[in-house]
Amino acid sequence: MTQDELKAAAVAMLDRAYCPYSHFPVGAALECSDGTVFTGCNIENAAYGATICAERTAIAKAVSEGHRDFVRIVIAGRSRDFCVPCGTCRQVLREFAPGMEVLCLNGAGEELCLTLEDLLPHSFGPEHLQ
Ligand code: THU
């Protein structure tokens, strides 16, 4: 999938977001090393703490289908600011792909291209448990 196609897949997920409380839709498209793409949206809950972010929806879909080797993720929002991943999502991405690319989009479709290392330096991971 081209980068533009991956971006379009993340943007398309904005319409699937279930966000009646925040009214802040987020879409994600996660690309694996074999080219498989898993998409996700945020799924809110009346018990706010049970909300699942778009990134973690995509990761749960991927891992539960046997994919763990991620190369990049596009995260789309509709706000003026770039939709950067929350701390929990950074840590969950880091578990599987500490060097992955993270492309954050704003509502104008502009992009901020980062790596997970930029977003979560000196991070804790599986190797620390050895
Ligand atoms: N949200 C995400 O889906 N991903 C993030 O990394 C940031 C926050 C969602 C959670 C909640 O539904 C809404 O955005 C407002 O926080």
Side-chain angles (χ1 to χ4, degrees), residues 19 22 24 26 42 44 51-55 84-86 89:
C19 52
S22 72
F24 189 88
V26 181
N42 50 335
E44 296 186 347
T51 291
I52 309 170
C53 290
E55 300 90 314
V84 290
C86 78
C89 288

Side-chain angles (χ1 to χ4, degrees), residues 28-40:
L30 178 67
E31 188 181 57
C32 306
S33 56
D34 69 355
T36 312
V37 171
F38 292 91
T39 55

